[in-house]
Short mmCIF file of all heavy atoms in Angstrom, two decimals:
data_model
loop_
_atom_site.label_atom_id
_atom_site.label_comp_id
_atom_site.label_asym_id
_atom_site.label_seq_id
_atom_site.Cartn_x
_atom_site.Cartn_y
_atom_site.Cartn_z
N VAL A 1128 13.90 -12.19 -5.46
CA VAL A 1128 12.95 -13.19 -4.97
C VAL A 1128 12.99 -13.31 -3.45
O VAL A 1128 12.00 -13.72 -2.83
CB VAL A 1128 13.20 -14.57 -5.62
CG1 VAL A 1128 12.90 -14.53 -7.09
CG2 VAL A 1128 14.62 -15.05 -5.35
N ARG A 1129 14.11 -12.94 -2.84
CA ARG A 1129 14.20 -13.01 -1.39
C ARG A 1129 13.25 -12.02 -0.70
O ARG A 1129 12.91 -12.19 0.48
CB ARG A 1129 15.63 -12.75 -0.93
CG ARG A 1129 16.65 -13.79 -1.38
CD ARG A 1129 18.06 -13.36 -0.99
NE ARG A 1129 18.43 -12.11 -1.67
CZ ARG A 1129 19.48 -11.37 -1.33
NH1 ARG A 1129 20.26 -11.74 -0.31
NH2 ARG A 1129 19.75 -10.26 -2.01
N ALA A 1130 12.83 -11.00 -1.44
CA ALA A 1130 11.92 -10.00 -0.88
C ALA A 1130 10.45 -10.40 -1.02
O ALA A 1130 9.59 -9.77 -0.40
CB ALA A 1130 12.14 -8.66 -1.57
N LEU A 1131 10.15 -11.43 -1.80
CA LEU A 1131 8.75 -11.77 -2.08
C LEU A 1131 7.93 -12.08 -0.83
O LEU A 1131 6.78 -11.63 -0.73
CB LEU A 1131 8.68 -12.93 -3.08
CG LEU A 1131 9.07 -12.59 -4.52
CD1 LEU A 1131 9.02 -13.84 -5.39
CD2 LEU A 1131 8.14 -11.52 -5.08
N PRO A 1132 8.46 -12.84 0.16
CA PRO A 1132 7.65 -13.08 1.36
C PRO A 1132 7.27 -11.78 2.08
O PRO A 1132 6.15 -11.64 2.56
CB PRO A 1132 8.55 -13.97 2.22
CG PRO A 1132 9.44 -14.66 1.25
CD PRO A 1132 9.70 -13.64 0.17
N VAL A 1133 8.21 -10.84 2.14
CA VAL A 1133 7.91 -9.56 2.79
C VAL A 1133 6.85 -8.80 1.99
O VAL A 1133 5.89 -8.25 2.56
CB VAL A 1133 9.18 -8.71 2.94
CG1 VAL A 1133 8.84 -7.34 3.52
CG2 VAL A 1133 10.20 -9.41 3.83
N LEU A 1134 6.99 -8.77 0.67
CA LEU A 1134 6.03 -8.06 -0.16
C LEU A 1134 4.64 -8.68 -0.06
O LEU A 1134 3.63 -7.96 -0.02
CB LEU A 1134 6.50 -8.04 -1.62
CG LEU A 1134 7.82 -7.31 -1.89
CD1 LEU A 1134 8.16 -7.39 -3.38
CD2 LEU A 1134 7.75 -5.86 -1.43
N LEU A 1135 4.57 -9.99 0.00
CA LEU A 1135 3.28 -10.67 0.14
C LEU A 1135 2.64 -10.32 1.48
O LEU A 1135 1.44 -10.06 1.56
CB LEU A 1135 3.47 -12.19 0.02
CG LEU A 1135 2.20 -13.03 0.09
CD1 LEU A 1135 1.22 -12.65 -1.02
CD2 LEU A 1135 2.54 -14.52 0.00
N TRP A 1136 3.44 -10.29 2.53
CA TRP A 1136 2.94 -9.93 3.86
C TRP A 1136 2.37 -8.51 3.87
O TRP A 1136 1.41 -8.22 4.59
CB TRP A 1136 4.07 -10.06 4.88
CG TRP A 1136 3.73 -9.66 6.27
CD1 TRP A 1136 2.74 -10.16 7.08
CD2 TRP A 1136 4.38 -8.64 7.05
NE1 TRP A 1136 2.75 -9.55 8.30
CE2 TRP A 1136 3.75 -8.61 8.31
CE3 TRP A 1136 5.45 -7.78 6.81
CZ2 TRP A 1136 4.14 -7.74 9.33
CZ3 TRP A 1136 5.85 -6.92 7.82
CH2 TRP A 1136 5.20 -6.89 9.05
N LEU A 1137 2.94 -7.63 3.06
CA LEU A 1137 2.52 -6.24 3.04
C LEU A 1137 1.23 -6.01 2.27
O LEU A 1137 0.79 -4.86 2.15
CB LEU A 1137 3.64 -5.37 2.44
CG LEU A 1137 4.92 -5.27 3.27
CD1 LEU A 1137 5.99 -4.50 2.51
CD2 LEU A 1137 4.65 -4.62 4.62
N THR A 1138 0.61 -7.06 1.75
CA THR A 1138 -0.68 -6.92 1.06
C THR A 1138 -1.81 -7.14 2.08
O THR A 1138 -1.94 -6.38 3.03
CB THR A 1138 -0.77 -7.89 -0.13
OG1 THR A 1138 -0.60 -9.25 0.33
CG2 THR A 1138 0.29 -7.57 -1.17
N LEU A 1139 -2.62 -8.14 1.89
CA LEU A 1139 -3.76 -8.37 2.78
C LEU A 1139 -3.37 -8.58 4.24
O LEU A 1139 -3.98 -7.96 5.13
CB LEU A 1139 -4.58 -9.56 2.28
CG LEU A 1139 -5.73 -10.01 3.21
CD1 LEU A 1139 -6.78 -8.93 3.32
CD2 LEU A 1139 -6.34 -11.31 2.71
N PRO A 1140 -2.37 -9.43 4.55
CA PRO A 1140 -2.13 -9.71 5.97
C PRO A 1140 -1.85 -8.47 6.82
O PRO A 1140 -2.51 -8.24 7.83
CB PRO A 1140 -0.91 -10.66 5.94
CG PRO A 1140 -1.02 -11.33 4.61
CD PRO A 1140 -1.54 -10.26 3.68
N PHE A 1141 -0.87 -7.66 6.39
CA PHE A 1141 -0.52 -6.53 7.25
C PHE A 1141 -1.59 -5.44 7.24
O PHE A 1141 -1.84 -4.79 8.26
CB PHE A 1141 0.83 -5.94 6.85
CG PHE A 1141 1.36 -4.98 7.88
CD1 PHE A 1141 1.83 -5.44 9.10
CD2 PHE A 1141 1.35 -3.61 7.66
CE1 PHE A 1141 2.29 -4.58 10.07
CE2 PHE A 1141 1.81 -2.73 8.63
CZ PHE A 1141 2.28 -3.22 9.84
N ASN A 1142 -2.26 -5.23 6.11
CA ASN A 1142 -3.32 -4.24 6.08
C ASN A 1142 -4.53 -4.69 6.90
O ASN A 1142 -5.23 -3.85 7.48
CB ASN A 1142 -3.73 -3.94 4.63
CG ASN A 1142 -2.72 -3.03 3.95
OD1 ASN A 1142 -2.74 -1.82 4.14
ND2 ASN A 1142 -1.82 -3.62 3.17
N LEU A 1143 -4.76 -5.98 6.97
CA LEU A 1143 -5.82 -6.48 7.85
C LEU A 1143 -5.44 -6.24 9.31
O LEU A 1143 -6.30 -5.93 10.14
CB LEU A 1143 -6.05 -7.97 7.59
CG LEU A 1143 -7.26 -8.60 8.29
CD1 LEU A 1143 -8.55 -7.89 7.89
CD2 LEU A 1143 -7.36 -10.08 7.93
N LEU A 1144 -4.15 -6.37 9.62
CA LEU A 1144 -3.68 -6.06 10.97
C LEU A 1144 -3.90 -4.59 11.29
O LEU A 1144 -4.44 -4.24 12.35
CB LEU A 1144 -2.20 -6.43 11.11
CG LEU A 1144 -1.54 -6.18 12.48
CD1 LEU A 1144 -0.46 -7.22 12.74
CD2 LEU A 1144 -0.93 -4.78 12.57
N ILE A 1145 -3.50 -3.70 10.38
CA ILE A 1145 -3.66 -2.27 10.64
C ILE A 1145 -5.13 -1.91 10.84
O ILE A 1145 -5.51 -1.34 11.87
CB ILE A 1145 -3.11 -1.43 9.47
CG1 ILE A 1145 -1.61 -1.64 9.29
CG2 ILE A 1145 -3.40 0.05 9.70
CD1 ILE A 1145 -1.05 -0.94 8.04
N TYR A 1146 -5.94 -2.24 9.85
CA TYR A 1146 -7.30 -1.72 9.84
C TYR A 1146 -8.29 -2.61 10.57
O TYR A 1146 -9.31 -2.11 11.07
CB TYR A 1146 -7.73 -1.47 8.39
CG TYR A 1146 -6.82 -0.49 7.70
CD1 TYR A 1146 -6.00 -0.88 6.64
CD2 TYR A 1146 -6.72 0.82 8.15
CE1 TYR A 1146 -5.13 0.01 6.03
CE2 TYR A 1146 -5.86 1.72 7.54
CZ TYR A 1146 -5.06 1.31 6.49
OH TYR A 1146 -4.20 2.20 5.90
#
Side-chain angles (χ1 to χ4, degrees):
V1128 293
R1129 295 174 298 167
L1131 288 178
V1133 176
L1134 297 179
L1135 183 59
W1136 177 58
L1137 293 174
T1138 58
L1139 173 65
F1141 192 72
N1142 283 280
L1143 188 58
L1144 180 148
I1145 297 174
Y1146 301 114

